[in-house]
Each structure stands twice: as structure tokens, then as C-alpha cells.
């Protein structure tokens, strides 16, 4: 016996055609009006026996092949629950390492209190011991360098990377790294060295055109940063993949197009991958940003508009949804940020919060640390309204930190404009297919010319 997947969603268009999407498999079908009728009939009565040669018979087989029709015995929710449980005990080790909280910027919405404390030799040694203890043979060690500004501690990153790679080699484990940097020190020689150190991706933030960005993200001394960052990206993007974050709120949301135009004019269209972030009053330090934050539904629409702006300008990468076993590292037992003093927390937002420690590299965990850690395990999306949401496979309950702070779910942005998001996804897939056809034609034409 068969049943429709719970995670199907059909968007009907004005001409009676439609788009069928599944949030579990991420499969998408473009349907003609006749296809919509056939698919609707099959999904309504999946065990009916249509003529195998009829459109309904062909549609039924297609829906089975693509996961829209599944065996009636399958419990999709149970599968998701098991995947989440497995992710919480991954054999891979993911650490966000903060060699220092020092920063050369004073961003107006930063949630960290500036602190020049850096890792001591004792903490470095304890970090190496922690990795040796927790890295499973044959697994993978993934490091994200964070701060503060991590490039202020490049010597320490060099030294720690040598130790980490040696441990990974001894364990027969893989190693890769990423970095979150403000970009001010990310010159081409530095980016080349980072690539040699195993850093494959660097996230850099630019918040708008020059006047807007410089006001939001000045140096610690109040200096301008925009032109230096853009110049650095031209060289750095030859060595590492650049994810370009644009933090938006009500004060700069109208400046996105101008920034994208500048990126195109500077020849960076194929070399950086822009996406929107959202300013949020994560801690009391950045509480002044609260009044300008963008509401969830509004941000969802703005993100879609920005993706469309990227498409129109010919950018090659878009942040499409993907299934996830857990929302983030905070829900994994084998992933956490490591603070400069050796403290361990579950979320980046707690990087400057000594009351949020869940452990420590140099001391035994206190009862308060153990309680803090246990509190992260209390939120279970399968016991909340998430269990009846079609977007659960791509959301997994949203940000656990914000849920702890507000007792409210912060859902995937697609939920607020669901039909429009699926149609836009279809549009992107169409463009991708057109690109493949053009590439195939060019390849065939080139072969013909050479023959």
C-alpha cells in the first residue's frame, strides 16, 4: 500500500499548471494542467489501479520514483527523529575556535564585549588534548576560526593548525577549516597562506555602499573599512571561497542593489557569494539594534527579492534550502565553540558570556556548567508544533538560541511566503537547466568545429 508523503506541497498557478515540491527529498516537479489533474487524483487515491499506459499510470510511477508517493508503512517523522538523534552524536568533531576576542572593528550591532585576552599556551595544549580525546579515528575534524577578528592571531592559527593536522593524520581523520573574518586583514598573501593551512571558505561582511558600510562597520579608531575590504576580496577570492554576508536591518535594506552593482563593477560576480544576514539583539551588548530589526515575514520577502537581484545580475550561487539533521552545532554533542580562556559554550552568541559555559578545557565542569549544557537539550522540535510542519526537514525547529531567549519558534524563512518561495526555486532550477543546455550546445559546437 502507498500513501502521499506528508512533506508534499503543491502550488497551483493561474493557468492551472503547478509545481509540486517535497521538503524531505527536495524534489521538484513542474506540472502541466493535465499533470496537475493526474497527480492530484493519484495522491488522493494512491492505491487505485490506473491503466498503466494512461497519464495517471505514468504519473503514479513518477511520483513513486521521486518520493512523493511512499510505502504506507514508512514513518517519515520517525526517520527524521532518528536522523536528528544520530546527528547529536556525530563521529565528526566540529569546533569553532576563538583564539582571541580582540577585534580591530567596532561594529554598531556587535553582540560581543571587546576583550583583548588571547589563548595561553596552557589552553592551546588543552585544546590539542581535547581534540585527541574526542576525534574519532576515520572521522573528520572541522575547524571554524572566529573571534573577535581571528586574523589578529595568525601566528596562533598557524601553530594550532600544525597540531590539529598532526592529530588528524594520526587518527586517519580528515581535516578542513573555514573562517569568519571582517576582511580588513585578508590580503592576497594572507588568503594564500590560509588556503595552505586548509581554510577553504571565509565569510566576510559588507553592509552596503561605502557610506553605509563605513558607518556600520568602522575600525576601532573610527576609520573607514569599505575600500580596504573590497580590494582584499579581489586577491583573496583567488585562493579561498568567499561567502559575502550582508547584515541588514531597516536602516540599510534599501542599499542592497547599490552594493551588488559595485561588486559586479569590480569583477567579483563570479568570485564571491552574497547572502543576507539579519541583525538581531542577541545580547544586551547589542540591544540598541532591536528597534531597527526586520520582522521574520518581512525578512523572508526581502531575502527572495535579493535572490532575484542576484539572478538578474548573473551571480552563480544561491542559498537554496537543504535538508538538515539538526539546526546547528548547538544541538550536537561533538560540536562547540572554544573560547580564548578555554571555556566551552554551545553557541557563538555566548562567546562573551561567562555565565553560559557548558565546560572548560582546564577544569572540571561545575554543576552550573552541567545544568547549562542540559538546558540546551530541552527543546525538542518533535514535541512542538514543528512536528506537523511540512518544512521540518529543512528547518528542524529553527534557532535553538533564540528559542531559549524568547520561548518562540524562529521558523525557516520560506514558511512566511511558501508558495512564492517554491515558485522562485523552480525559476532558479529552470535557469540552471537552461545553463546546462547552453553548455552542452557549446561543447558540441566546439567538437564540431574541431572535426
Amino acid at each position: 500500500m502507498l500513501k502521499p508523503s506528508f512533506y508534499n506541497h503543491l502550488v497551483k498557478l493561474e493557468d492551472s499548471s503547478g509545481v509540486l515540491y517535497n521538503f524531505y527529498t527536495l524534489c521538484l516537479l513542474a506540472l502541466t494542467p493535465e499533470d496537475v489533474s493526474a497527480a492530484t487524483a493519484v495522491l488522493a487515491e494512491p492505491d487505485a489501479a490506473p491503466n498503466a499506459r494512461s497519464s495517471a499510470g505514468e504519473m503514479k510511477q513518477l511520483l513513486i520514483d521521486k518520493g512523493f508517493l511512499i510505502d504506507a508503512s514508512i514513518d517519515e517523522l520517525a526517520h527524521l527523529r532518528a536522523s536528528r538523534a544520530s546527528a547529536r552524536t556525530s563521529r565528526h568533531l566540529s569546533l569553532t575556535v576563538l583564539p582571541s576576542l580582540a577585534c580591530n572593528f567596532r561594529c554598531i550591532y556587535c553582540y560581543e564585549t571587546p576583550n583583548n585576552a588571547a589563548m595561553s599556551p596552557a589552553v592551546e595544549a588543552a585544546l590539542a588534548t581535547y581534540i585527541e580525546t574526542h576525534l574519532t579515528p576515520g572521522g573528520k575534524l572541522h575547524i571554524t576560526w572566529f573571534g573577535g577578528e581571528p586574523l589578529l592571531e595568525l601566528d596562533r592559527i598557524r601553530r594550532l593548525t600544525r597540531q590539529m593536522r598532526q592529530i588528524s593524520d594520526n587518527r586517519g581523520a580528515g581535516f578542513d577549516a573555514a573562517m569568519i573574518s571582517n576582511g580588513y586583514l585578508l590580503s592576497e598573501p594572507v588568503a594564500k597562506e590560509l588556503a595552505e593551512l586548509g581554510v577553504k571558505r571565509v565569510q566576510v561582511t559588507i553592509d552596503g555602499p561605502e557610506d553605509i558600510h563605513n558607518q556600520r562597520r568602522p575600525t576601532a579608531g573610527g576609520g573607514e573599512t569599505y575600500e580596504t575590504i573590497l580590494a582584499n576580496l579581489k586577491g583573496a577570492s583567488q585562493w579561498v571561497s568567499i561567502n559575502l554576508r550582508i547584515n541588514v536591518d531597516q536602516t540599510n535594506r534599501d542599499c542592497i542593489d547599490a552594493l551588488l552593482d559595485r561588486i559586479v563593477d569590480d569583477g567579483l560576480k563570479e568570485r564571491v557569494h552574497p547572502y543576507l544576514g539579519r541583525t538581531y539583539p542577541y545580547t544586551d551588548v547589542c540591544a540598541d539594534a532591536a528597534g531597527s530589526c526586520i520582522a521574520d515575514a518581512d525578512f523572508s520577502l526581502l531575502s527572495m527579492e535579493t535572490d532575484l537581484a542576484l539572478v538578474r545580475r548573473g551571480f552563480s550561487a544561491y542559498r537554496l534550502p537543504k535538508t538538515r539533521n539538526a539546526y546547528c552545532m548547538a544541538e550536537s554533542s561533538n560540536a562547540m565553540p572554544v573560547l580564548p580562556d578555554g571555556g566551552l559554550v554551545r553557541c557563538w552568541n555566548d562567546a562573551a558570556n561567562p555565565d553560559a559555559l557548558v565546560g572548560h578545557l582546564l577544569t572540571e565542569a561545575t554543576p552550573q556548567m552541567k545544568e547549562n549544557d542540559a538546558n540546551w537539550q530541552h527543546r525538542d522540535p518533535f514535541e512542538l508544533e514543528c512536528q506537523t510542519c511540512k518544512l521540518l526537514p529543512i528547518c528542524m525547529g529553527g534557532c535553538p538560541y533564540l528559542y531559549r531567549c524568547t520561548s518562540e519558534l524562529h521558523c525557516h524563512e520560506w514558511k512566511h511566503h511558501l508558495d512564492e518561495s517554491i515558485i522562485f526555486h523552480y525559476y532558479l532550477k529552470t535557469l540552471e537547466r537552461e545553463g546546462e543546455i547552453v553548455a552542452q550546445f557549446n561543447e558540441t559546437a566546439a567538437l564540431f568545429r574541431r572535426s
Side-chain angles (χ1 to χ4, degrees):
M1 296 181 67
L2 298 171
K3 67 179 179 181
S5 168
F6 176 78
Y7 300 103
N8 294 341
H9 187 81
L10 175 63
V11 182
K12 293 185 178 180
L13 306 180
E14 291 183 358
D15 63 355
S16 298
S17 64
V19 176
L20 182 61
Y21 189 71
N22 185 280
F23 286 96
Y24 198 117
T25 64
L26 304 185
C27 283
L28 180 150
L29 293 178
L31 305 176
T32 66
E34 294 75 18
D35 291 336
V36 170
S37 297
T40 302
V42 171
L43 291 170
E45 296 185 80
D47 288 316
N51 187 320
R53 296 182 179 179
S54 69
S55 60
E58 294 175 354
M59 177 58 67
K60 181 174 182 177
Q61 189 58 53
L62 178 62
L63 295 177
I64 292 172
D65 292 342
K66 299 300 181 182
F68 294 97
L69 269 182
I70 61 176
D71 191 282
S73 65
I74 294 175
D75 186 336
E76 292 173 292
L77 197 63
H79 278 277
L80 288 173
R81 188 190 292 271
S83 295
R84 184 171 185 266
S86 175
R88 293 168 75 93
T89 57
S90 170
R91 70 193 187 101
H92 305 307
L93 178 61
S94 297
L95 300 177
T96 298
V97 180
L98 291 78
S100 169
L101 286 174
C103 189
N104 51 347
F105 277 25
R106 290 296 181 269
C107 303
I108 61 174
Y109 47 75
C110 184
Y111 56 84
E112 293 182 2
T113 303
N115 186 330
N116 290 325
M119 276 191 173
S120 66
V123 172
E124 290 185 33
L127 175 57
T129 299
Y130 183 90
I131 294 172
E132 287 179 329
T133 302
H134 290 82
L135 180 59
T136 302
K140 186 174 184 178
L141 174 61
H142 176 74
I143 300 295
T144 299
W145 300 106
F146 189 41
E149 171 49 47
L151 288 178
L152 292 172
E153 294 287 339
L154 187 53
D155 283 343
R156 200 176 308 276
I157 289 172
R158 293 186 185 109
R159 185 166 58 249
L160 287 169
T161 297
R162 286 194 294 269
Q163 293 178 304
M164 293 170 178
R165 281 187 147 174
Q166 185 61 59
I167 295 169
S168 298
D169 289 345
N170 293 343
R171 288 283 189 278
F175 175 86
D176 77 352
M179 178 176 286
I180 298 173
S181 169
N182 57 40
Y184 196 74
L185 301 175
L186 189 64
S187 63
E188 183 174 349
V190 168
K192 181 176 182 293
E193 182 174 3
L194 290 178
E196 293 167 350
L197 292 171
V199 175
K200 298 179 179 180
R201 299 167 301 282
V202 179
Q203 176 188 294
V204 176
T205 299
I206 298 182
D207 276 2
E210 184 172 7
D211 56 334
I212 300 295
H213 172 91
N214 286 334
Q215 186 270 327
R216 293 166 64 86
R217 299 180 64 82
T219 66
E224 298 180 349
T225 63
Y226 180 81
E227 290 295 345
T228 299
I229 296 172
L230 272 179
N232 283 343
L233 293 183
K234 294 176 184 179
S237 59
Q238 299 181 58
W239 299 99
V240 294
S241 177
I242 301 291
N243 292 324
L244 189 63
R245 181 180 174 99
I246 308 169
N247 286 324
V248 294
D249 53 37
Q250 299 292 3
T251 67
N252 72 328
R253 61 182 298 164
D254 295 329
C255 304
I256 298 170
D257 282 347
L259 172 59
L260 296 181
D261 288 340
R262 172 65 190 274
I263 294 170
V264 172
D265 291 343
D266 279 6
L268 291 169
K269 180 177 67 176
E270 303 293 337
R271 295 159 62 182
V272 302
H273 311 297
Y275 71 99
L276 292 191
R278 186 161 46 145
T279 59
Y280 197 89
Y282 290 107
T283 68
D284 292 340
V285 177
C286 59
D288 289 344
S292 60
C293 293
I294 300 176
D296 290 351
D298 194 8
F299 181 75
S300 171
L301 186 58
L302 181 61
S303 294
M304 208 176 341
E305 292 170 346
T306 301
D307 284 341
L308 184 58
L310 291 170
V311 170
R312 287 172 173 167
R313 287 168 174 81
F315 283 88
S316 58
Y318 320 100
R319 291 169 65 87
L320 294 174
K322 59 183 180 180
T323 53
R324 56 175 81 203
N325 295 331
Y327 181 81
C328 67
M329 67 186 306
E331 298 184 311
S332 172
S333 62
N334 223 21
M336 63 183 64
V338 181
L339 308 186
D341 66 355
L344 303 175
V345 292
R346 284 291 175 195
C347 177
W348 298 0
N349 295 322
D350 285 329
N353 181 7
D355 296 328
L357 295 183
V358 299
H360 204 284
L361 294 178
L362 300 178
T363 63
E364 291 291 327
T366 65
Q368 183 60 57
M369 293 176 185
K370 294 177 181 179
E371 182 179 345
N372 289 344
D373 198 26
N375 286 339
W376 280 101
Q377 316 307 321
H378 289 170
R379 190 202 71 147
D380 182 353
F382 298 93
E383 295 179 358
L384 302 171
E385 61 190 77
C386 308
Q387 65 179 309
T388 59
C389 178
K390 292 183 179 181
L391 279 71
L392 178 60
I394 67 170
C395 180
M396 278 297 161
C399 175
Y401 178 88
L402 291 178
Y403 184 79
R404 287 180 66 219
C405 294
T406 66
S407 298
E408 296 178 358
L409 291 169
H410 292 260
C411 304
H412 192 283
E413 59 195 52
W414 272 33
K415 185 172 184 177
H416 306 287
H417 299 281
L418 181 55
D419 287 0
E420 295 88 344
S421 297
I422 291 174
I423 292 302
F424 184 69
H425 183 26
Y426 167 61
Y427 172 58
L428 293 182
K429 285 292 185 182
T430 302
L431 291 180
E432 181 181 286
R433 180 58 181 152
E434 289 175 353
E436 292 173 355
I437 292 171
V438 170
Q440 291 171 5
F441 172 79
N442 289 337
E443 182 178 343
T444 303
L447 290 172
F448 177 78
R449 294 189 193 99
R450 290 196 295 268
S451 63

